[in-house]
Amino acid sequence: MKNILILTDFSYNSWNSIVYTLNLFKDKTIHFFILKNISSTNEYLNFKNKANSDEELDLLLNKIKNADINKKHTFNIIKDNRNIVLATKEQLKANNIDLIIIGTNDLTSKKIKNSNHISEELITKVPCDIMVIPNTANYSEYDNVVFATEFTNFLEAKLTFDLRKNKPFKKSKFHFLYLSKTKKTINKDQQWNKETLHDYFKNVPHNFSTKINTNLAVALDEFIEENNADLIVTAAKNLNLIEQLLFRPNNANLKYTNKTPFLVLT
């Protein structure tokens, strides 16, 4: 990963995601692009937002440079008044973005059920790896990575194995967690996908686990607590699973939605 796009709205959540990302890539030279969306349907508000954002972006850039522990990093501040999806897609194309970072505090909000928040919009519409960083997440080494799966995507093995090329994952143990509401057994296609994962990771610390629960988010939460997981990973094509775990977890008592980053691979 060389080019990373971070979305900001000047909130504590977005600042926390910046600090997390700086620590995650402290040992690698990264070109960071900080995107602030300033769109509004009201012309006066557009003018006011632009004036305020100019000053706030300057302050943010200085704050980032003072906090940055790798002076080889570069930072580019970007303002865009278009729809956030269009703005993000433009940066993806213009700057060859490898990863998008989103800070959030609303994963367990009851309002999510009736709204399209930014995480959902980007994960479903922008073809790029995306990491969602909750508001209380603090970076630590990725000792245990949970890959949530239903073994229905044959690309999962390559996607996950390619992830290991990045330094933060070199020493990680991968927990492949099969989540299901009722089925303990898997069909032939699922078994083939599971065996492919095992073949890719035969020389890498990993294991396979199963959790059966009518609420998949609760099952994931229990597994994360049991295994001290530092990161949740899943494939972007598993939209049904992502919806239940990330977009609409439907449980206000989940711990991972407030503290454990969620990486979606494309």
Side-chain angles (χ1 to χ4, degrees):
M1 294 180 184
K2 296 181 180 179
N3 302 315
I4 296 177
L5 178 69
I6 304 178
L7 276 60
T8 184
D9 58 3
F10 306 125
S11 67
Y12 170 80
N13 306 311
S14 62
W15 173 247
N16 184 61
S17 71
I18 291 172
V19 172
Y20 185 101
T21 308
L22 292 177
N23 281 286
L24 174 58
F25 294 101
K26 63 184 178 183
D27 297 321
K28 187 167 184 176
T29 301
I30 300 290
H31 303 296
F32 287 104
F33 299 86
I34 314 297
L35 173 63
K36 173 67 177 93
N37 184 259
I38 55 173
S39 62
S40 171
T41 55
N42 183 294
E43 289 186 8
Y44 170 73
L45 286 178
N46 261 335
F47 176 80
K48 186 177 180 181
N49 286 343
K50 184 179 184 303
N52 289 341
S53 67
D54 286 344
E55 182 178 353
E56 288 177 308
L57 283 168
D58 288 341
L59 292 173
L60 177 62
L61 183 58
N62 288 330
K63 191 176 180 181
I64 291 172
K65 289 181 176 179
N66 288 331
D68 188 24
I69 56 178
N70 183 344
K71 300 307 177 184
K72 293 182 179 180
H73 288 158
T74 61
F75 299 91
N76 295 276
I77 299 295
I78 300 161
K79 294 173 290 183
D80 199 312
N81 62 1
R82 290 175 295 179
N83 172 278
I84 188 63
V85 172
L86 293 177
T88 303
K89 283 184 175 180
E90 174 61 27
Q91 293 309 311
L92 190 67
K93 181 169 57 175
N95 296 302
N96 195 26
I97 299 299
D98 300 299
L99 176 68
I100 298 170
I101 301 290
I102 308 170
T104 184
N105 70 340
D106 64 355
L107 293 183
T108 57
S109 171
K110 293 180 180 178
K111 295 179 181 179
I112 281 182
K113 296 179 181 179
N114 300 309
S115 67
N116 291 320
H117 62 298
I118 290 176
S119 301
E120 182 172 359
E121 284 281 286
L122 297 186
I123 288 171
T124 56
K125 297 177 181 178
V126 179
C128 185
D129 294 353
I130 295 177
M131 181 179 282
V132 180
I133 301 178
N135 59 322
T136 64
N138 293 306
Y139 175 70
S140 61
E141 298 292 330
Y142 291 152
D143 295 325
N144 294 286
V145 175
V146 175
F147 192 98
T149 180
E150 295 171 312
F151 297 130
T152 55
N153 182 0
F154 72 95
L155 293 175
E156 287 181 343
K158 187 178 186 307
L159 283 173
T160 318
F161 195 74
D162 285 348
L163 190 65
R164 292 198 69 256
K165 297 175 183 178
N166 297 286
K167 188 172 181 180
F169 302 94
K170 296 279 188 185
K171 298 180 180 179
S172 302
K173 180 177 181 179
F174 283 78
H175 302 261
F176 295 104
L177 176 62
Y178 171 59
L179 293 169
S180 178
K181 292 184 177 181
T182 57
K183 293 183 179 181
K184 291 185 179 180
T185 58
I186 56 179
N187 61 35
K188 290 183 178 179
D189 289 338
Q190 290 173 302
Q191 183 63 37
W192 187 88
N193 291 334
K194 180 179 178 181
E195 290 173 359
T196 303
L197 276 165
H198 179 64
D199 289 342
Y200 265 83
F201 281 80
K202 61 185 177 182
N203 297 317
V204 178
H206 73 283
N207 60 31
F208 291 89
S209 300
T210 298
K211 279 278 190 181
I212 308 298
N213 194 312
T214 54
N215 190 320
L216 300 186
V218 170
L220 176 61
D221 202 52
E222 291 173 353
F223 188 84
I224 290 171
E225 291 299 306
E226 292 164 3
N227 293 276
N228 297 314
D230 308 294
L231 179 71
I232 306 162
V233 182
T234 194
K237 287 185 178 296
N238 296 343
L239 283 176
N240 179 58
L241 184 60
I242 293 173
E243 179 173 344
Q244 296 178 72
L245 300 180
L246 185 61
F247 300 155
R248 297 170 182 82
N250 197 27
N251 190 308
N253 299 314
L254 299 170
K255 296 179 181 178
Y256 74 82
T257 54
N258 290 316
K259 69 174 185 178
T260 311
F262 202 113
L263 175 61
V264 179
L265 301 176
T266 54

